[in-house]
């Protein structure tokens, strides 16, 4: 009833706003397509060029993601091929890898100011690619007006780190705080019945407690300490500092600022965190000094990632045999879903298509998901198992988070790869049932009726949950947990009792998961692709990335934006409609609720976000 009400309200709002927005955007895009066609027609160059001595500019704006998610097909055109605020990690990695051996590319330039989020595991993969680029002998330069923790972690891969004289480097350490609602629910008279197995399965705790449990506190402390140690050691090694010096700066930042009269930039340089101060004009002059100038306008000779990839890919030979990368990003839910959520039916269809395509010889499952529906997770795992039985290797590659249901689907692979900072495990299961009987009684609403059996109407949230129904749900959850242990045990060649010792809902870092036998190798996406190709006996191959079905409109717009990028034509970006932004903000909490659609109401979801 509640789900239906939410769906009706937001469906009506969405239809009205999207109709209005579509009319306005349609006029804009019609003119834009005509203009782009005219530009390409008049300025078409059969051989697009990247001038010799150019620098690759790495300036990711917004978040680094595994898969771009478009709210509307026409957003493809408005964003120039990738949605504003989203940078696909695989594209960034490919650009840096190709540039390493490209004689036309003489340097790499990193500008971190637009970067907002990415998760340290993704940043770590990109940073490793930059370090590999630097090992070729080509210089790497980085600058920021100021550096947040993630921005600075990426920038430390450079030979030179520049900071604005008015900037700062904000290293804060890591934290995890959450809101707990037990007292609020009690005041409202609402009850949240929770059924779970695993003392570390903390997803439901915000609804049943007012504080963090001892188990969750201990596990969270271990995770944060582990990730911080990786970050601190990487930064210290890059800056040629002792790890203890980084800890001292973080723990005594107030004193460092006091010593410089509040000058954050000077405090950073005194701590050895940056090499140079540079204003924007001084940074431009430095780039001109290192990479030269474009002949037609005097700007530094730099090429952005989109343009570089469009040109570089157009020259890549086609090998015929392929390795497919399927991205499982977002919550795992039942049914069909577009990119941005992992629909059990949608993803199963993608896997079957890969299995039946003779050109595709191996599959890499790239997972960035905290889990979700137990039913949908099993549908996906079974399709992976069938793909292996058909003779095609399957490698699971974990991104920032591959926990709970995300780990369940990974167990369908031949090998599991994870980044050292990946959050994984959380092997456990739970269910939650809300009860609104008391609030209704306070309003003078009484529920009464008849039933033919004790469990008939037992799961009506307007009525108190009976002990028999509660016991039945707990028994079902315990059975689901045993099933989880069995699935993992068979996949990892472990006894259920052995799996239980590292399960109980506990989340592990990828590095720890490897030691515990839950992960085979630590490494990034490109290493996992290479492992899949090796298992398939491939030396020369193409990497393809199938996505949920695209409309003709989407495919045409992707072709257009790719063509424009190849020839250096920059498409203007149209900001999202304010009405749509407002609707998204209002709709988000309800949308999260509506994703819970497992037919058995059993969930494998981790309350974990990548730091």
């Amino acid at each position: 009833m509640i789900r239906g009400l939410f769906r009706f309200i937001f469906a009506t709002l969405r239809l009205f706003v999207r109709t209005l927005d579509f009319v306005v955007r349609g006029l804009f895009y019609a003119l834009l397509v005509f203009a782009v066609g005219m530009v390409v027609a008049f300025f078409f160059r059969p051989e697009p060029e990247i001038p010799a001595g150019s620098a690759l500019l790495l300036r990711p704006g917004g978040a680094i993601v595994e898969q771009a998610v478009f709210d509307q097909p026409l957003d493809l055109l408005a964003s120039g091929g990738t949605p504003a605020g989203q940078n696909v990690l695989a594209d960034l990695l490919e650009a840096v890898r190709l540039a390493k051996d490209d004689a036309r590319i003489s340097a790499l330039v990193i500008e971190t100011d637009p970067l907002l989020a990415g998760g340290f595991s993704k940043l770590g993969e990109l940073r490793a690619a930059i370090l590999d680029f630097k090992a070729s002998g080509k210089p790497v330069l980085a600058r920021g007006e100021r550096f947040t923790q993630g921005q600075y972690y990426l920038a430390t891969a450079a030979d030179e780190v520049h900071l604005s004289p008015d900037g700062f480097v904000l290293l804060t350490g890591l934290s995890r705080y959450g809101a707990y609602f037990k007292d609020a629910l009690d005041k409202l008279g609402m009850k949240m019945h929770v059924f779970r197995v695993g003392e570390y399965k903390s997803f439901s705790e915000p609804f049943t407690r007012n504080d963090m449990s001892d188990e969750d506190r201990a596990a969270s402390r271990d995770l944060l300490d582990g990730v911080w140690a990786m970050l601190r050691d990487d930064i210290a090694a890059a800056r040629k500092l002792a790890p203890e010096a980084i800890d001292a700066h973080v723990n005594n930042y107030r004193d460092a600022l006091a010593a410089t009269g509040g000058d954050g930039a000077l405090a950073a340089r005194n701590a050895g965190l940056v090499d140079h101060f540079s204003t924007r004009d001084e940074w431009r002059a430095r780039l001109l000094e290192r990479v030269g100038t474009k002949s037609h306008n005097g700007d530094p000779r730099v090429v952005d990632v989109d343009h570089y990839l469009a040109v570089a890919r157009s020259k890549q030979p086609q090998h015929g045999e392929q390795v497919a990368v399927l991205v499982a990003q977002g919550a795992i839910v039942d049914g069909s879903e577009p990119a941005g959520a992992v629909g059990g039916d949608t993803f199963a269809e993608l896997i079957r298509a890969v299995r039946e395509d003779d050109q595709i010889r191996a599959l890499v499952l790239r997972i960035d998901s905290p889990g979700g529906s137990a039913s949908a997770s099993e549908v996906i795992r079974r399709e992976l198992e069938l793909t292996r039985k058909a003779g095609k290797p399957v490698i699971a590659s974990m991104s920032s988070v591959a926990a709970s249901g995300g780990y369940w689907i990974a167990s369908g692979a031949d090998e599991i790869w994870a980044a050292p900072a990946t959050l994984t495990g959380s092997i456990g299961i739970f269910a939650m049932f809300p009860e609104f009987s008391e609030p209704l009684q306070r309003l003078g609403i009484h529920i009464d009726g008849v039933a033919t059996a004790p469990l008939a109407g037992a799961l009506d949230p307007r009525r108190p949950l009976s002990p028999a129904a509660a016991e039945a749900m707990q028994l079902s959850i315990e059975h689901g947990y045993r099933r989880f242990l069995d699935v993992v045990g068979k996949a990892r060649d472990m006894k259920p009792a052995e799996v239980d010792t590292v399960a109980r809902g506990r989340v592990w870092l990828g590095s720890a998961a490897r030691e515990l036998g839950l992960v085979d190798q630590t490494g990034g996406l490109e290493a996992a692709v290479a492992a899949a190709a090796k298992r398939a006996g491939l030396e020369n191959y193409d990497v393809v990335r199938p996505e949920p079905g695209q409309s003709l409109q989407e495919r045409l717009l992707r072709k257009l934006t790719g063509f424009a990028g190849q020839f250096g034509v920059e498409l203007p970006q149209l900001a999202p409609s304010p009405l749509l932004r407002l609707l998204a903000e209002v709709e988000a909490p309800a949308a999260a609720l509506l994703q819970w659609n497992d037919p058995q109401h059993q969930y494998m979801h981790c309350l974990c976000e990548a730091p």
Side-chain angles (χ1 to χ4, degrees):
M1 178 180 65
I2 297 173
R3 187 189 308 273
L5 179 61
F6 273 119
R7 287 191 187 280
F8 175 77
I9 292 172
F10 286 108
T12 303
L13 268 175
R14 191 186 298 111
L15 178 62
F16 172 75
V17 174
R18 288 189 187 281
T19 301
L20 180 62
D21 186 71
F22 183 82
V23 171
V24 176
R25 285 172 175 259
L27 293 174
F28 173 83
Y29 294 133
L31 293 173
L32 185 59
V33 170
F34 176 77
V36 170
M38 294 297 292
V39 169
V40 172
F42 280 104
F43 298 100
F44 179 86
R45 296 190 301 262
E47 290 294 334
E49 295 181 357
I50 294 177
S54 295
L56 177 65
L57 175 62
L58 196 64
R59 196 173 192 270
I64 297 177
V65 299
E66 294 296 339
Q67 186 176 65
V69 179
F70 294 89
D71 184 53
Q72 301 181 69
L74 287 176
D75 286 343
L76 285 162
L77 189 57
S79 63
T82 301
Q86 298 182 50
N87 305 268
V88 178
L89 176 63
D91 291 343
L92 300 177
L93 295 174
E94 182 183 1
V96 175
R97 174 176 54 79
L98 292 175
K100 173 188 173 183
D101 300 318
D102 191 333
R104 299 168 297 182
I105 301 297
S106 63
L108 178 64
V109 174
I110 306 171
E111 294 181 352
T112 61
D113 292 315
L115 178 62
L116 300 179
F120 285 119
S121 65
K122 296 186 184 70
L123 292 174
E125 281 195 52
L126 182 55
R127 189 176 182 276
I130 295 169
L131 291 174
D132 186 54
F133 176 97
K134 188 167 72 172
S136 69
K138 298 179 181 181
V140 180
L141 293 79
R143 181 185 184 271
E145 293 285 325
R146 60 201 61 81
F147 289 112
T148 61
Q149 201 156 245
Q151 293 171 343
Y152 182 69
Y153 179 58
L154 185 64
T156 56
D159 299 288
E160 297 179 15
V161 178
H162 290 244
L163 175 67
S164 167
D166 296 324
F168 54 81
V169 177
L170 189 61
L171 296 180
T172 61
L174 304 174
S175 65
R176 180 190 168 215
Y177 290 97
Y180 293 82
F181 312 113
K182 183 179 183 302
D183 278 355
L185 293 176
D186 287 346
K187 290 178 180 178
L188 294 171
M190 295 174 57
K191 295 180 181 178
M192 185 67 73
H193 299 274
V194 173
F195 310 91
R196 68 174 185 173
V197 178
E199 61 272 24
Y200 294 98
K201 198 67 178 175
S202 60
F203 186 92
S204 59
E205 288 185 356
F207 303 98
T208 60
R209 297 179 58 93
N210 290 318
D211 58 1
M212 184 180 283
S213 67
D214 292 340
E215 292 82 5
D216 192 23
R217 189 179 301 278
S220 296
R221 168 63 69 180
D222 287 345
L223 290 174
L224 295 179
D225 285 346
V227 174
W228 175 249
M230 294 178 197
L231 299 180
R232 178 200 60 200
D233 293 350
D234 285 349
I235 292 171
R239 300 303 303 169
K240 296 180 174 56
L241 299 169
E244 294 77 15
I246 302 295
D247 280 334
H249 178 74
V250 172
N251 294 333
N252 301 290
Y253 186 60
R254 179 212 165 275
D255 295 340
L257 277 180
T260 61
D263 189 334
L266 185 57
R269 190 169 69 178
N270 289 347
L273 301 180
V274 299
D275 298 299
H276 306 285
F277 293 153
S278 62
T279 58
R280 294 184 182 184
D281 60 288
E282 290 170 339
W283 173 243
R284 183 176 183 274
R286 179 60 173 155
L287 295 184
L288 289 171
E289 176 187 342
R290 294 303 298 264
V291 303
T293 180
K294 292 180 180 178
S295 58
H296 65 284
N297 61 10
D299 288 337
R301 192 185 294 125
V302 298
V303 55
D304 65 43
V305 167
D306 289 341
H307 182 199
Y308 177 71
L309 278 180
V311 175
R313 286 170 175 170
S314 70
K315 305 295 185 181
Q316 291 292 304
Q318 300 297 308
H319 299 99
E321 294 181 310
Q322 301 172 340
V323 174
V325 177
L326 296 183
V327 176
Q329 175 180 276
I332 301 173
V333 298
D334 281 86
S336 299
E337 292 288 337
V342 188
D345 294 345
T346 302
F347 218 77
E349 291 173 4
L350 282 175
I351 297 170
R352 282 196 294 273
V354 166
R355 185 167 66 244
E356 295 167 1
D357 189 327
D358 293 336
Q359 277 191 295
I360 298 176
R361 297 282 306 282
L363 169 61
V364 174
L365 178 66
R366 180 66 167 178
I367 306 170
D368 197 11
S369 171
S373 165
S375 174
S377 298
E378 173 55 18
V379 169
I380 294 170
R381 188 205 66 82
R382 176 59 178 168
E383 288 296 333
L384 295 174
E385 184 179 59
L386 293 174
T387 302
R388 293 168 57 195
K389 289 181 178 179
K392 295 189 177 183
V394 177
I395 303 294
S397 172
M398 296 178 168
S399 181
S400 296
V401 180
S404 209
Y407 188 85
W408 182 292
I409 64 176
S411 66
D414 293 289
E415 295 179 23
I416 298 177
W417 288 63
T422 295
L423 301 186
T424 188
S426 191
I427 299 170
I429 188 168
F430 72 94
M432 294 194 299
F433 178 77
E435 179 190 316
F436 306 111
S437 59
E438 186 174 333
L440 291 176
Q441 289 176 9
R442 291 179 182 178
L443 293 172
I445 300 173
H446 303 279
I447 308 302
D448 197 8
V450 296
T452 62
L455 292 182
L459 298 183
D460 184 338
R462 301 173 302 170
R463 303 176 63 239
L465 185 65
S466 69
E471 185 176 356
M473 292 185 72
Q474 184 62 38
L475 288 171
S476 180
I477 291 299
E478 290 173 0
H479 170 74
Y481 180 68
R482 291 192 297 271
R483 168 75 169 132
F484 205 159
L485 298 183
D486 184 61
V487 165
V488 175
K490 289 179 179 178
R492 307 304 303 167
D493 195 22
M494 300 168 66
K495 296 179 180 178
E498 293 175 323
V499 179
D500 184 58
T501 61
V502 297
R504 315 296 302 175
R506 182 153 188 169
V507 181
W508 304 97
L509 289 179
S511 53
R514 182 180 180 183
E515 296 177 1
L516 296 169
L518 297 176
V519 166
D520 295 295
Q521 300 287 345
T522 50
L525 174 59
E526 293 189 330
V529 170
K534 182 178 180 180
R535 274 184 171 263
L538 301 177
E539 292 186 4
N540 298 310
Y541 56 90
D542 302 313
V543 177
V544 295
R545 297 180 172 84
E547 295 184 16
Q550 298 171 353
S551 66
L552 176 61
Q553 183 185 36
E554 288 175 307
R555 293 196 296 271
L556 288 174
L557 289 173
R558 282 187 184 274
K559 288 289 186 183
L560 175 60
T561 53
F563 183 73
Q566 180 178 341
F567 293 98
V569 178
E570 295 185 6
L571 299 178
Q573 293 193 11
L574 182 65
S577 160
L579 285 173
L580 285 180
R581 288 203 304 267
L582 178 61
L583 178 63
E585 291 176 6
V586 175
E587 186 180 8
L593 173 65
L594 294 175
Q595 282 187 319
W596 298 88
N597 66 346
D598 184 285
Q600 299 182 39
H601 305 289
Q602 295 184 2
Y603 299 96
M604 300 181 295
H605 200 290
C606 173
L607 186 63
C608 49
E609 295 183 1

